[in-house]
Amino acid sequence: MCGRYTLTASAQIIAEFFKLSEVPDIKPRYNIAPTQSVATVTASPQLQRQFQFMRWGLIPSWAKDIKIGSKTINARSETIAEKPAFRSAIKRRRCLIVADGFYEWLPLLKHKQPYYFQMAEGAPFAFAGLWENWESPEGEKIVSCTIITTAANETVQPVHDRMPVILPSGAWEEWLDPAVNSAQQVLPLLKPYAAAMKGNAVSAIVNSPTRDSPECIQPIDPTAVETASTHTKSASAD
């Protein structure tokens, strides 16, 4: 799954990278968590890209309240076309979720060690996302989104067996095009990212969503990180 990520690039860099006419000022975020407001890109029927903030955790239009959003922060690519919460959005409401890094956790014997993953050159990138409009009985309107996940690539796999779908720039137009209303047409885009990435162990402070500072992404000494294999060997020796 993808439960935390970062967006530290400036508004100017985001606008240039995603070819957006306007992006509001954004403060650097080092520990974006579910239910928070996140940066996304959608497209108009004329294929004009538009920047928009959405709530992370998709709330289907038929939901009775927003609580379901805490369970729909991710959507599995393998079942997305069948799940009631996502099967309409995959056909009609797709978006890019703007990021420049994400976290996954390696299970160890007594704790989980966070790792931070980026593009090899540290550039921004786009998660494949879905979005939905929801209105409460009281008239409150919320636009929410989910991050699609797939099998891990060779960089992420040693830490976790899943990763968010990262769409290469050449796939953005097709993914965003409102005229493409067939799930079967876009499902082939939802695959492990093939280009070079890098990952480093980072401090466990990222486990708390209240911590949002550059310290979250600072690499820590790999020799100080206990590995699952080390724990296994120690247990066998005992």
Side-chain angles (χ1 to χ4, degrees):
M1 65 175 293
C2 176
R4 302 285 177 79
Y5 70 97
T6 66
L7 179 57
T8 63
S10 68
Q12 180 180 352
I13 290 175
I14 293 169
E16 293 174 354
F17 195 80
F18 290 92
K19 295 181 171 58
L20 297 163
S21 60
E22 185 177 0
V23 174
D25 288 337
I26 304 176
K27 70 174 184 178
R29 296 294 312 280
Y30 298 91
N31 194 9
I32 300 171
T35 76
Q36 295 178 353
S37 180
V38 300
T40 73
V41 177
T42 57
S44 70
Q46 295 75 35
L47 293 182
Q48 281 192 309
R49 293 181 187 171
Q50 303 163 332
F51 182 92
Q52 184 175 2
F53 285 111
M54 298 183 187
R55 186 183 194 272
W56 184 13
L58 188 141
I59 309 167
S61 59
W62 43 259
K64 294 181 179 180
D65 56 50
I66 65 173
K67 293 180 181 178
I68 191 174
S70 63
K71 300 178 181 179
T72 53
I73 64 169
N74 292 157
R76 292 178 67 93
S77 59
E78 297 87 347
T79 58
I80 200 168
E82 289 79 39
K83 292 290 185 180
F86 310 124
R87 62 191 179 196
S88 175
I90 187 65
K91 297 176 183 177
R92 303 175 180 88
R93 291 175 293 279
R94 298 180 298 271
C95 63
L96 305 177
I97 298 175
V98 184
D100 54 20
F102 64 94
Y103 300 95
E104 295 292 356
W105 279 258
L106 174 67
L108 301 179
L109 187 62
K110 295 183 178 180
H111 70 286
K112 292 184 177 181
Q113 172 60 50
Y115 280 74
Y116 180 59
F117 295 95
Q118 301 171 274
M119 296 295 101
E121 71 283 6
F125 54 83
F127 295 138
L130 305 177
W131 65 274
E132 190 66 81
N133 285 310
W134 179 80
E135 184 172 351
S136 73
E138 296 75 31
E140 179 187 15
K141 296 181 180 180
I142 296 177
V143 182
S144 60
C145 62
T146 187
I147 295 172
I148 302 173
T149 65
T150 187
N153 64 14
E154 62 180 13
T155 303
V156 179
Q157 197 280 329
V159 175
H160 199 279
D161 62 355
R162 304 288 295 178
M163 70 177 293
V165 172
I166 298 173
L167 291 175
S169 58
W172 293 353
E173 184 172 349
E174 182 178 7
W175 180 254
L176 292 176
D177 190 347
V180 177
N181 55 15
S182 165
Q184 297 308 313
Q185 185 170 341
V186 295
L187 287 177
L189 302 176
L190 305 178
K191 55 189 177 182
Y193 190 67
M197 297 182 66
K198 59 183 179 181
N200 294 289
V202 293
S203 170
I205 66 168
V206 74
N207 293 346
S208 171
T210 63
R211 303 295 293 267
D212 191 357
S213 68
E215 188 179 1
C216 291
I217 65 172
Q218 293 303 310
I220 62 175
D221 184 356
T223 62
V225 179
E226 293 180 289
T227 65
S229 61
T230 299
H231 281 299
T232 303
K233 290 178 182 178
S234 297
S236 300
D238 291 341

